[in-house]
Amino acid sequence: MAQRIKAASVQRLLIDKGHEFSEFEAGEWDPGFRVAQAGRRGVHVFYDGPGEADQLEAITTELRAAGYHVVPTQQERGGRRRLEVTRP
């Protein structure tokens, strides 16, 4: 069973690796990543801005190197791409 994981921990790791955090300003998201808690044992990572697929791939590589389990998914009905992150 997966361990508990906090979105803040994933966010801090990605910022430490040099990724820009996306913030909501002037009615839209700035380019960068953002995280959302998905229950006690999961976190979703999104990328806002150009190069979404490439950025999510780079984030996947860094999270896996740090020991996280990462599965690329997409929200229902053709929604946003995201990463589902857990800790084995």
Side-chain angles (χ1 to χ4, degrees), residues 1-2 15 19 25 30 51-52 85:
M1 177 174 252
I15 289 172
H19 293 279
E25 294 180 346
D30 290 338
E52 176 185 42
V85 182

Side-chain angles (χ1 to χ4, degrees), residues 20-43:
E20 294 291 325
F21 186 70
S22 179
E23 294 189 50
F24 192 74
E25 294 180 346
E28 60 185 44
W29 288 97
D30 290 338
F33 79 92
R34 56 190 167 96
V35 295
Q37 194 72 44
R40 295 185 309 176
R41 291 176 168 74
V43 171

